[in-house]
Amino acid sequence: MYETYHKRGLDVIAVSNEPVATLRAFARRKGATFPVLSDPQGDLTGPCKVYYVPATLVLDAQGQVQGGLVGYGEDEFRKHVIGAIEKLLPPSPAKVE
């Protein structure tokens, strides 16, 4: 997902309250190609009212929440997260053949 939408302007940042070493190990195991930040005091997650994990938020360029999902389910992710991303980003360029 990140690689597909990054080309259209999406930035992804993973945030967790876990220690940095744990997050780095997780990112390596998963092959994450985006930043993973440790937020043990909730400085980033608190203002967004993230109380449960996993939580995915879609923020616009002004930092306003435009969509998201608490938990994970493929259909719900597609509807609430991918749907919000698609509304915010410019359309994909047409393929020329």
Side-chain angles (χ1 to χ4, degrees), residues 69-89:
L69 175 68
V70 174
Y72 184 82
E74 191 171 326
D75 291 338
E76 292 84 6
F77 189 84
R78 193 168 282 130
K79 178 181 177 183
H80 297 288
V81 176
I82 301 298
I85 290 169
E86 285 289 344
K87 287 179 185 175
L88 290 171
L89 295 179

Side-chain angles (χ1 to χ4, degrees), residues 5-83:
Y5 288 102
H6 184 69
K7 295 172 189 172
R8 291 176 49 201
L10 177 73
D11 284 323
V12 172
I13 301 170
V15 180
S16 177
N17 62 354
E18 297 181 86
V20 173
T22 302
L23 296 175
R24 285 185 181 149
F26 173 81
R28 271 195 304 275
R29 278 195 318 276
K30 296 294 183 179
T33 57
F34 48 84
V36 179
L37 306 176
S38 179
D39 183 31
Q41 304 303 316
D43 296 329
L44 297 170
T45 56
C48 292
K49 297 179 174 63
V50 174
Y51 304 114
Y52 304 100
V53 292
T56 304
L57 300 177
V58 178
L59 303 157
D60 63 19
Q62 291 72 42
Q64 300 299 309
V65 176
Q66 298 298 319
L69 175 68
V70 174
Y72 184 82
E74 191 171 326
D75 291 338
E76 292 84 6
F77 189 84
R78 193 168 282 130
K79 178 181 177 183
H80 297 288
V81 176
I82 301 298

